[in-house]
Amino acid sequence: MQEVFIKTWEKREQIGLEQSFTSYLFKISKHMVYSALRKENVEKKLKDYLSFIGTEIYTHVEEALAYKQSEIFVLESIEKLPPQ
């Protein structure tokens, strides 16, 4: 509500006297709501993307660590085998 008031105050000189002030307020409010929803949607998409990337990076690190541990286990097991 405060943002609508500020926007109205900033545009006070552009408001036509022949135009309905109520419809003007409604139009400003509607556009501000649409803008806020678009911004929220973009932020949600960015958050989801960053979460996905973070999970993917973590998974790659975890897989690399598991692979390295498996490799060490196999090499140690081969060394324990008799020469034959």
Side-chain angles (χ1 to χ4, degrees):
M1 188 69 184
Q2 185 175 5
E3 291 178 26
V4 172
F5 177 76
I6 291 170
K7 186 71 99 173
T8 305
W9 182 256
E10 290 172 348
K11 304 280 184 173
R12 69 186 180 277
E13 294 174 359
Q14 298 173 358
I15 299 173
L17 296 176
E18 65 280 347
Q19 186 180 9
S20 168
F21 187 68
T22 305
S23 65
Y24 182 78
L25 285 177
F26 179 77
K27 188 180 270 188
I28 287 177
S29 300
K30 181 177 78 169
H31 287 293
M32 291 184 84
V33 166
Y34 289 159
S35 178
L37 290 174
R38 272 193 302 274
K39 182 180 177 186
E40 186 177 309
N41 190 25
V42 167
E43 288 175 356
K44 183 184 180 314
K45 285 182 181 180
L46 179 61
K47 182 180 175 184
D48 290 345
Y49 175 74
L50 292 176
S51 176
F52 173 75
I53 293 298
T55 304
E56 190 174 294
I57 290 171
Y58 177 76
T59 303
H60 288 307
V61 169
E62 195 174 77
E63 288 174 354
L65 182 61
Y67 176 76
K68 188 67 174 174
Q69 289 174 343
S70 297
E71 185 180 26
I72 290 171
F73 177 75
V74 169
L75 290 176
E76 287 175 353
S77 297
I78 290 175
E79 287 178 12
K80 290 179 183 177
L81 290 173
Q84 305 173 0

